Amino acid sequence: MRWQPKIPLLQQLRFVMRKSTFSRTELSRAFGIDMATLGTGSAGTGFSFGKVAPGVTSEPHRHDEIEAFVVLSGAGKVRTDLGESSVATGDVVLFHPFEAHVLHNDGVENLNFVDVYWRDGKAALAAAAQVAIPRGPIFVFSTPPTPNGDLHLGHLSGPYLGADVYTRFLRMKGVEAYHLTGSDDCQSYVATRADAEQSTPAKVARHYAHEIRATLALLDCEVHSFLPTLGDSAYAEFQAACFGSLLSSTAVDLRQSPALFDAVTGDYLYEPDISGLCPDCGSSAGGNICEECGAPNLCHDLDAVRSRHSAEAPVVGSVRRPELALERCYDNIDRHLRASGAPVRIMDLFARLRQRGDFSVPITHPSDWGLPAEGLPGQVIWVWPEMAFGFLYNIQALATSLGRDWNAALPSNDWQIVHFFGFDNSFYHALLYPALYAEVFSHWTPCIRYHVNEFYLLDGQKFSTSRGHAVWGKEVLGPKTVDVVRLHLGLTRPEGERTNFTLDTLRRTENEVFRGIWLNWLDALHREIKQDFGGCVPDAGDWAPADRAFFARIEIHRAAMERAYSDDGFSVRRAAAQACDFVSDCVVYRQAQDYTAARRLYPARTRTSLALQTTAAAILAQTLAPLMPRFASTLARAIDGVSTETWPTSVRRLAPGTTFDLGPVLGFYTRAELPVLNEEEA
């Protein structure tokens, strides 16, 4: 917000007049620029002097205070969550609590300003409670799965369920949002699987990409653009252009650097070819990344390293490859992470990486599977940089299907990107990709948010395709089970910590929660409405304090679900738990009204109870739509006038006479459909 004050700023803020002086030598670095504290005024008001040198940009940050910049001299630009604005001498810029802001000097002289800030507890709480809905277009990416196998519940519980829930919610809020993913065809793991199946990488990639799409459909996961990259000449041309730009970057050097080779076959080793101990945390790690701590490695720096090709210890040789010197990109990465509000888990990974000093990452590898690296015979573009630019190409592919003009070669600052991925991919998505974008698209300031999940365990151990330790999506997903599976994956989703899956707990969610509590409540409500009111919602009668309190709790549930689905507080686990708590509350409320003699003598109280429960069922359908879309839409269709297409902005009691016939819902979900798998079959 920018304005020219009509009354003196000091008078507006009710400051106590006092004089303060400081020496320019007292300036120190704060938020990436030169600052000096001038003192404090009444009511905790603070004053600082700031200087931004030409070409310098402050670090993105946000805080709970209200803050005002008064520009004394110079000119530049201020960027906030709402956009960018030019500022010059005499301008005053106001920042509300938690509003991210950046000050950039694009002039030739110092930009000097006075910073005034103060706390307003009510304003801060109101800002924190507000659900921020981003503007479109929003491109929500779930990590493109590697087509070396089908998707198991470990995969589905993380990026794919999360991205689907988030995108569905945004679209209900009227935001232009799209869920995009694809098959990571050029992964080295595809070639490894092809060797095991005595097939070709291309056949393996195409086969499992088809299986992956089928499993996502069984999960009711709505994907607006699924990008397979094999055979797309335009995709290959775009990747070649990005790679060419990257090679001309000052952060990329062509180096002869250490590499590992198999002692028997002489094969170049990386990614699935080797294993060892992580140089950062000491845990078991594969080539190039440690799944435990998320730290990258260069293969030759692994301890106790072994090759999958032979029992001999690998030989350290060297190869000439282009490498990205990440230490030259640290400032850009740091600025991006601050602006994105990245999780502390990712910030910690970046801090640990910086402690290792200079760190150069090869962006090509000798291989016969992948996109050829032009000018480097026998080498292919490393699949992770390829994925970074593949995201942009996927946006362009989506644009083609929609008739839009989004151009992968000219990414726009209006685009908002949201990534869902497992923590083991954090280095690539949150550190490497911003560095690559800064080198290739200097005009673009990416707006990216990150949602990270931890590992989902099966009976206490990691899901493993190679060991067959998995429950596959196709084993448990079907029209009558998909909602129970989504609910259970939501309740146990690994957010911030590893969580465990067992078939027994999935069955308990189905039998004890979904059927034993949810459907039993809806069945009892349906029967009473049908028997006493002909299948129509009655008008409320007399309201007791308990009724008023329950009505308020319906709104509390609606608001809590909105917070759980929103970007700031996103948590599928919290949404699933909130839904379960709400239905349990509905059951308790119903039981407290269920006295036969009282219903006969005080029918007005009974009408109120039933009117509120039908309203609760309608709100349940609407707020479950992102998490359990099939069940939610079936329930909504049973209540006249209720839609799951839009998010409810408030709770409104159903109009008297509204048709309320849950027979189709209850009939569809009458019998359990989860397969009887034992642990050996899983």
Side-chain angles (χ1 to χ4, degrees), residues 228-377:
T229 57
L230 283 181
D232 187 336
S233 58
Y235 175 83
E237 290 172 5
F238 174 68
Q239 289 288 350
C242 292
F243 181 68
S245 296
L246 193 57
L247 288 182
S248 65
S249 163
T250 57
V252 173
D253 301 314
L254 193 60
R255 295 180 177 178
Q256 190 80 24
S257 56
L260 292 183
F261 297 85
D262 187 85
V264 176
T265 66
D267 292 338
Y268 174 84
L269 305 175
Y270 76 119
E271 293 192 327
D273 300 327
I274 57 171
S275 62
L277 301 180
C278 173
D280 200 47
C281 73
S283 299
S284 296
N288 296 101
I289 204 72
C290 174
E291 292 186 344
E292 289 296 321
C293 74
N297 63 70
L298 301 174
C299 298
H300 67 83
D301 56 356
L302 289 168
D303 293 325
V305 65
R306 288 290 181 267
S307 167
R308 74 173 180 88
H309 295 275
S310 67
E312 300 294 326
V315 174
V316 179
S318 68
V319 65
R320 189 170 178 79
R321 302 165 296 188
E323 298 183 357
L324 177 69
L326 271 180
E327 69 276 3
R328 302 176 197 170
C329 307
Y330 284 163
D331 287 346
N332 283 331
I333 297 172
D334 180 71
R335 190 177 304 281
H336 171 76
L337 293 179
R338 291 173 185 270
S340 71
V344 174
R345 186 95 152 97
I346 291 177
M347 305 293 277
D348 177 72
L349 173 61
F350 180 51
R352 287 188 282 115
L353 180 64
R354 296 187 72 157
Q355 290 173 359
R356 294 167 67 174
D358 293 351
F359 189 81
S360 293
V361 181
I363 57 175
T364 66
H365 290 283
S367 176
D368 55 6
W369 177 243
L371 294 177
E374 187 175 351
L376 298 163

Side-chain angles (χ1 to χ4, degrees), residues 87-147:
V87 294
T89 303
D91 286 343
V92 179
V93 188
L94 180 69
F95 306 109
H96 298 289
F98 309 116
E99 183 179 9
H101 47 279
V102 175
L103 183 58
H104 171 66
N105 184 348
D106 58 2
V108 296
E109 61 180 48
N110 290 334
L111 192 163
N112 297 311
F113 67 98
V114 170
D115 176 22
V116 184
Y117 50 92
W118 64 99
R119 282 188 172 86
D120 183 324
K122 290 184 178 180
L125 284 174
Q130 184 178 6
V131 175
I133 301 299
R135 299 164 295 150
I138 298 177
F139 307 106
V140 183
F141 286 97
S142 52
T143 301
T146 302

Side-chain angles (χ1 to χ4, degrees), residues 338-531:
R338 291 173 185 270
S340 71
V344 174
R345 186 95 152 97
I346 291 177
M347 305 293 277
D348 177 72
L349 173 61
F350 180 51
R352 287 188 282 115
L353 180 64
R354 296 187 72 157
Q355 290 173 359
R356 294 167 67 174
D358 293 351
F359 189 81
S360 293
V361 181
I363 57 175
T364 66
H365 290 283
S367 176
D368 55 6
W369 177 243
L371 294 177
E374 187 175 351
L376 298 163
Q379 297 195 30
V380 298
I381 301 171
W382 192 27
V383 71
W384 293 103
E386 178 199 332
M387 185 187 291
F389 303 118
F391 289 134
L392 306 183
Y393 186 86
N394 203 345
I395 293 174
Q396 180 175 297
L398 174 66
T400 300
S401 67
L402 298 176
R404 305 293 290 272
D405 60 355
W406 301 322
N407 188 339
L410 296 171
S412 170
N413 287 335
D414 292 333
W415 295 359
Q416 296 192 61
I417 294 173
V418 181
H419 281 300
F420 281 81
F421 53 87
F423 175 72
D424 53 319
N425 284 330
S426 295
F427 167 72
Y428 304 121
H429 284 75
L431 307 187
L432 179 63
Y433 294 174
L436 294 172
Y437 292 148
E439 297 306 315
V440 175
F441 304 107
S442 58
H443 71 283
W444 182 38
T445 303
C447 179
I448 305 178
R449 297 295 293 270
Y450 302 103
H451 292 289
V452 184
N453 62 271
E454 299 291 335
F455 279 115
Y456 198 42
L457 306 179
L458 172 59
D459 298 320
Q461 299 180 11
K462 291 181 184 178
F463 277 80
S464 172
T465 301
S466 60
R467 291 188 290 109
H469 184 67
V471 174
W472 303 98
K474 290 188 177 72
E475 292 181 305
V476 295
L477 290 169
K480 293 187 178 182
T481 63
V482 59
D483 291 296
V484 169
V485 172
R486 286 177 67 114
L487 174 62
H488 184 74
L489 293 182
L491 288 169
T492 57
R493 189 169 186 263
E495 299 173 358
E497 62 180 351
R498 296 182 178 185
T499 53
N500 190 51
F501 172 88
T502 68
L503 287 168
D504 285 342
T505 55
L506 173 59
R507 294 191 187 98
R508 284 200 295 271
T509 296
E510 181 193 35
N511 297 322
E512 298 176 15
V513 178
F514 185 65
R515 299 183 184 283
I517 299 177
W518 292 33
L519 295 187
N520 280 348
W521 167 59
L522 292 173
D523 181 56
L525 179 60
H526 164 73
R527 290 175 184 276
E528 191 165 3
I529 294 291
K530 183 177 182 180
Q531 176 181 316

